[in-house]
Amino acid sequence: MTYKTGRSGMLSRTAVRRTAAAVATAALAGTALAACGTQHGGAAASGADDARASSRAPSSAASGEASGPAAGIPSQRTSPPGDPSGSQPSGPGPGQNGPAPTGPAQTGPVPTDPSGTVPSQTVPGQPTGPLDPSAGPADPSGSPATGAPAGESIQHSTEDGGRSVALTFDDGPDPRWTPQVLALLAAHHAKATFCEIGPNAAAHPDLVRQITTAGHRLCDHSVHHNERQSSRSAAYNTHEIVDAQREITKAAGAGAKLWYYRAPGGDFTPTIRHIAAGHGLRPLGWTVDSRDWERPGTAKVLANIDRQLRPGSIVLMHDGGGDRAQTVRALSRLLDRLDAQGWTYSFPAR
C-alpha cells in the first residue's frame, strides 16, 4: 500500500492515525466474520453484501438446502384459521393487533355435562323408560290396587301371556249388536269376555246362552251401571254386584259361571273389590280403551286400539248401551289385523 507523505517525506500524524484505525477495523471485521461463519455454516449476512448475495444465489429448492429452521427446532409459525397445513393459531404475534383468541366460536352441538352425556330432556311427570309390554296400567279409576289380598287386585293381563289379547264387551247383551259381535268372533275363531248388565241378561237369556255355548266367558257389570257407585254404601254396592250376578247366572242356565266383576267406569274401591272377590268374582280392569262409546268414527276407534295395544292387553269395547255400528265395523277390521299379525286370543287372567 502507498501512502502520501508531507513535504518532509514523512507520514503525517493524521494519516498515521487514519491508517491505524482502518487496520483495527479490518481486523475486528475479520474476526466477526469468522465467528459468524463457524456458527451458521459460513453464511454471511450483512447489509449490501446480503443484497448482492441474494441476487446471485440459486433458490433453496434448486440447491437442495432447507429454507426452514434447523432440524430439531419446532416451528413457531402461526397459521390463520383454515390454514391447509393444519397448524393452529397460537395467538397474535409481534405487530398483530387485538387480544389473543380465547377459543373457538360456540357454533357446534350443545355441550354435554361432565359425565359426557347430553343433559336430560325428560319432561316432568312423563315416563323415563320403555314400556313393559306385560305390565298393565293402574286401576282405570285411578285407585291403585297394589297391596290388595290375592283375588282382590284388579286384573290387567291375559291368562295366556305372550302375544295374546283379551277382547271384552260391556253393557250387553243387546239383541241387535251382540249377535253381530258373536258372528265376527266365530268367523275368526276368537274368544272374548262379555261384561253384562243384570237386567239386560234377564231380558235376553237366549243371548246369554249363545255367549256361553260359543265358549266365551261372562262378567258381572252391575245392576244399574252407576259409574259413581263407590260413593254409595257397602249395602248398595253389595246389591249392585250380587243381584246382577244372580240375574246373569239365572239367564245363562245351570252350570254357567261368572268369572269377573267390572265396576262401571272402572269405579273400584277396596270395598267394592272385597265384595266382588268374596262372591267369587275377580275385579277386572282394562289396558286398552277403544273409546267406542264416544262413537268417534270407525277409524278413530281402531287408532285408539292400535296406539295402546301391547302383548297381554285387555281391550275394552261395547256390544250394548247404544248404537254400536262403529264398534262392529271396527271389530271386523281389528280381527283381520290381529290374525294377519299373528296375535292369539285369550281371556283375562283369574
Side-chain angles (χ1 to χ4, degrees):
M1 178 181 296
T2 302
Y3 294 99
K4 294 183 179 180
T5 63
R7 287 188 295 270
S8 61
M10 301 288 292
L11 289 174
S12 69
R13 292 177 181 172
T14 301
V16 171
R17 285 196 298 270
R18 289 177 178 171
T19 298
V23 171
T25 300
L28 289 173
T31 302
L33 288 171
C36 192
T38 301
Q39 182 177 354
H40 296 286
S46 176
D49 288 339
D50 265 359
R52 289 190 295 270
S54 63
S55 67
R56 296 191 300 266
S59 68
S60 59
S63 65
E65 294 175 0
S67 60
I73 301 177
S75 173
Q76 300 300 313
R77 182 175 67 88
T78 60
S79 305
D83 184 351
S85 69
S87 301
Q88 296 302 316
S90 60
Q96 293 180 336
N97 296 321
T102 58
Q106 299 299 319
T107 58
V110 177
T112 60
D113 67 20
S115 67
T117 59
V118 177
S120 173
Q121 301 297 317
T122 302
V123 179
Q126 298 299 319
T128 57
L131 291 175
D132 178 0
S134 67
D139 174 354
S141 69
S143 303
T146 56
E152 292 187 18
S153 62
I154 301 172
Q155 185 55 259
H156 289 112
S157 60
T158 62
E159 66 180 15
D160 292 333
R163 195 173 173 78
S164 65
V165 59
L167 303 175
T168 65
F169 297 90
D170 285 11
D171 299 352
D174 182 278
R176 181 175 182 182
W177 307 114
T178 301
Q180 296 182 51
V181 170
L182 287 171
L184 286 171
L185 294 173
H188 289 265
H189 306 284
K191 49 192 174 184
T193 299
F194 289 80
C195 302
E196 302 191 326
I197 304 297
N200 289 351
H204 304 286
D206 55 326
L207 293 179
V208 179
R209 295 190 184 99
Q210 287 182 38
I211 290 170
T212 57
T213 300
H216 305 298
R217 288 185 180 178
L218 296 174
C219 171
D220 182 339
H221 199 37
S222 81
V223 174
H224 295 104
H225 201 272
N226 180 359
E227 295 187 0
R228 298 194 61 190
Q229 74 178 58
S230 63
S231 65
R232 307 291 294 269
S233 66
Y236 174 87
N237 281 286
T238 300
H239 155 69
E240 287 294 309
I241 296 169
V242 176
D243 286 0
Q245 182 183 28
R246 184 179 302 115
E247 289 176 307
I248 299 168
T249 301
K250 181 179 179 179
K257 178 180 180 179
L258 267 69
W259 296 75
Y260 317 95
Y261 174 73
R262 174 175 279 167
D267 186 31
F268 283 106
T269 64
T271 297
I272 292 173
R273 296 198 308 269
H274 180 73
I275 295 169
H279 288 81
L281 306 173
R282 178 67 184 265
L284 178 60
W286 60 84
T287 62
V288 177
D289 187 354
S290 69
R291 303 188 74 83
D292 60 339
W293 49 272
E294 292 180 327
R295 294 197 290 274
T298 301
K300 182 63 174 177
V301 171
L302 283 170
N304 290 337
I305 296 173
D306 289 343
R307 185 177 63 254
Q308 303 169 70
L309 190 64
R310 302 287 187 277
S313 289
I314 299 177
V315 180
L316 171 63
M317 303 179 81
H318 294 78
D319 68 323
D323 185 341
R324 299 302 174 215
Q326 292 180 12
T327 300
V328 171
R329 289 193 295 269
L331 176 63
S332 177
R333 297 181 191 177
L334 175 64
L335 291 169
D336 286 340
R337 291 184 188 180
L338 294 174
D339 286 351
Q341 295 171 6
W343 290 79
T344 60
Y345 303 97
S346 183
F347 294 118
R350 278 276 299 174

